Amino acid sequence: MAGCLFCAAPLRHTFVDLGMSPLCESYLTAEQLNQMEPFYPLHAYVCEQCFLVQVQEYVSPEGLFTEYAYFSSYSDSWLAHARAYAETITARLGLTAASRVIELGSNDGYLLQYFLAKGIPVLGVEPAKNVAAAAIGKGVPTVTKLFGRQTAQELMAEGVQADLLCAANVLAQVPDVNDFVGGMKLLLKPGGLITIEFPHLMRLIEENQFDTMYHEHFSYFSFTTAERIFAAHGLTLFDVEELPTHGGSLRIYVRHAEDSFKPMSDRAKNLRLREEATGFNRLERYASFAEQVHETKRRLLEFLIGAKRKGKRIAGYGAPGKGNTLLNYCGIRTDFLDYTVDRNPYKHGKFLPGTHIPIHPPEKIRETRPDYVLILPWNIKDEIMEQVSYIRSWGGQFVVPIPDVTVYP
Ligand SMILES: [Zn+2]
């Protein structure tokens, strides 16, 4: 048993054990269905010292990230979120052609393209070659590397530092959080600003979002734990926004500890107090999560068994990582879901890892007219229910599994 990813204390307390699961981004081709498929324990622990919730690393980061099936630009709502952020932060910081914006985990350039359009110099750092290539194709300069102290030093040697250093939904996927945050400390200009978005552990627990846990996500942060980790690297969290994205995220604003021009905001003080008041500094707060997850599995299976007994046909919508955690943990295969659909053509004709549910283009739903559509990326359920609203013409209904199994006529 390895120690805590941040503070190295021994990990002795289970947060939730989701059993054995394949890597959630390893979509299979038809030929691969007949081969052995690796499954790894998906067991999350909480550290008794720093309360970082974490899943142990079983696969090398190179194996996880050289090819990545998630293209950020396939979600309209995520693009809109990125554009709004680019507008607001450009105004807040007064970014100009003399500034530089660096994004870590820049994916296919979905965010940096908006800064580029304003004439602000940008640089992406993205370890997955295929999505980085898509970014470069859009004219977004991108370094294809894992980020850490070494990459930061290499960039600094070329005279590159950031006025704005940002990362969205990347921190959880960092195998060595100390190296990553240490690299940020180096790459940030003296008066610069870091913003980082990550799913908020408080919301994960309160809203039962256990399916956002997967092998590619090593850690899950409260505001308080994030504050502790950044402080250890000479960085101070001085402001925070609570966002609706990914079921409830934080966008933290971080400065050099030495940079006293940015005072602690009331939002940051209040959130810290709220976490304290709801027990995020005590182990007991984490201990009840597992039973809540077990009960969700029972309720979802109850619904699906009932529907199948009535002869109903059920299709999935989406093939996100979180869907794979949910389906594998609950043991839902083609015995319940005939197929799933996704807008990302990269996934068409492939199969979900572990459950081997086929992935089709969205038009398949119109052709086959299922009674129920199970929405796997529940964080964008409104967008999906609008896109696929035509299922109502034959009496089809939507099912959303999280936070609780809910049917939408
Ligand atoms: Zn720890």
Side-chain angles (χ1 to χ4, degrees):
M1 175 68 59
C4 170
L5 281 173
F6 167 59
C7 76
L11 294 174
R12 288 189 279 237
H13 304 277
T14 290
F15 180 58
V16 66
D17 184 356
L18 297 172
M20 298 293 285
S21 205
L23 298 182
C24 76
E25 295 287 345
S26 38
Y27 299 90
L28 304 172
T29 61
E31 300 77 63
Q32 288 173 312
L33 293 180
N34 294 330
Q35 295 166 11
M36 255 176 35
E37 191 178 357
F39 279 59
Y40 303 89
L42 189 48
H43 189 155
Y45 290 87
V46 57
C47 173
E48 66 199 52
Q49 293 294 325
C50 70
F51 303 103
L52 182 65
V53 169
Q54 50 203 292
V55 170
Q56 283 196 282
E57 184 184 336
Y58 294 99
V59 192
S60 76
E62 286 74 23
L64 286 177
F65 296 123
T66 48
E67 183 162 297
Y68 196 43
Y70 185 77
F71 286 74
S72 299
S73 297
Y74 286 113
S75 164
D76 296 340
S77 56
W78 187 243
L79 277 180
H81 173 78
R83 172 182 286 188
Y85 166 75
E87 291 298 329
T88 317
I89 202 74
T90 300
R92 178 167 171 168
L93 300 182
L95 298 172
T96 66
S99 316
R100 189 191 296 274
V101 178
I102 302 182
E103 188 186 15
L104 309 177
S106 49
N107 199 274
D108 58 4
Y110 73 99
L111 170 66
L112 291 177
Q113 63 182 347
Y114 298 121
F115 291 104
L116 205 59
K118 295 172 182 295
I120 301 165
V122 300
L123 180 68
V125 181
E126 169 55 58
K129 290 193 179 72
N130 59 331
V131 287
I136 292 164
K138 285 180 197 160
V140 175
T142 303
V143 178
T144 311
K145 276 192 176 150
L146 264 179
F147 184 75
R149 287 190 187 94
Q150 195 192 326
T151 302
Q153 271 154 0
E154 286 165 14
L155 290 171
M156 287 172 73
E158 294 166 26
V160 175
Q161 266 191 313
D163 295 278
L164 172 63
L165 181 55
C166 48
N169 299 312
V170 172
L171 197 59
Q173 301 175 35
V174 168
D176 184 345
V177 70
N178 287 315
D179 188 46
F180 190 85
V181 177
M184 292 189 109
K185 173 75 182 172
L186 294 172
L187 199 57
L188 185 67
K189 281 189 190 169
L193 173 71
I194 299 174
T195 74
I196 304 179
E197 291 175 36
F198 54 84
H200 190 190
L201 181 61
M202 191 167 103
R203 298 284 295 273
L204 185 153
I205 294 179
E206 287 173 356
E207 292 165 43
N208 195 31
Q209 301 162 355
F210 68 89
D211 59 342
T212 60
M213 317 199 83
Y214 36 88
H215 298 106
E216 289 84 341
H217 285 177
F218 303 114
S219 26
Y220 305 83
F221 305 85
S222 64
F223 180 77
T224 317
T225 295
E227 202 170 26
R228 190 188 291 219
I229 293 171
F230 282 80
H233 295 278
L235 294 165
T236 302
L237 275 57
F238 69 97
D239 193 11
V240 64
E241 278 176 90
E242 293 180 71
L243 308 171
T245 44
H246 292 278
S249 298
L250 296 182
R251 178 186 288 145
I252 55 171
Y253 291 77
V254 186
R255 58 168 169 85
H256 284 295
E258 304 80 8
D259 176 1
S260 54
F261 291 102
K262 301 180 180 78
M264 177 74 69
S265 74
D266 288 340
R267 295 191 294 199
K269 289 179 202 158
N270 291 341
L271 181 56
R272 193 202 282 148
L273 289 175
R274 256 165 62 212
E275 286 190 351
E276 227 176 85
T278 43
F280 279 82
N281 287 338
R282 295 192 302 274
L283 266 180
E284 303 85 76
R285 183 70 188 88
Y286 301 85
S288 57
F289 186 66
E291 177 48 29
Q292 182 181 317
V293 173
H294 300 161
E295 180 54 21
T296 305
K297 174 175 179 170
R298 292 190 285 260
R299 278 208 287 271
L300 180 57
L301 287 174
E302 218 160 56
F303 171 82
L304 293 172
I305 291 168
K308 292 312 281 184
R309 288 223 166 104
K310 287 182 207 139
K312 304 288 187 191
R313 284 174 308 123
I314 311 167
Y317 191 101
K322 60 168 73 71
N324 290 326
T325 293
L326 180 85
L327 299 172
N328 276 295
Y329 169 63
C330 295
I332 297 166
R333 287 177 272 273
T334 49
D335 41 5
F336 290 113
L337 285 195
D338 298 340
Y339 60 86
T340 192
V341 299
D342 199 276
R343 285 173 90 187
N344 180 350
Y346 178 88
K347 296 178 184 172
H348 297 162
K350 295 198 168 129
F351 296 80
L352 298 183
T355 59
H356 297 188
I357 293 168
I359 309 167
H360 296 293
E363 300 80 64
K364 184 84 172 174
I365 291 181
R366 212 186 277 278
E367 289 161 27
T368 60
R369 301 162 70 98
D371 300 292
Y372 293 108
V373 171
L374 176 67
I375 297 181
L376 296 170
W378 43 259
N379 53 306
I380 51 168
K381 69 175 190 312
D382 295 334
E383 180 181 337
I384 291 169
M385 287 199 272
E386 202 176 305
Q387 274 168 28
V388 198
S389 59
Y390 55 79
I391 70 166
R392 297 190 176 109
S393 69
W394 62 80
Q397 296 184 311
F398 294 102
V399 184
V400 177
I402 304 288
D404 198 2
V405 184
T406 311
V407 178
Y408 293 85

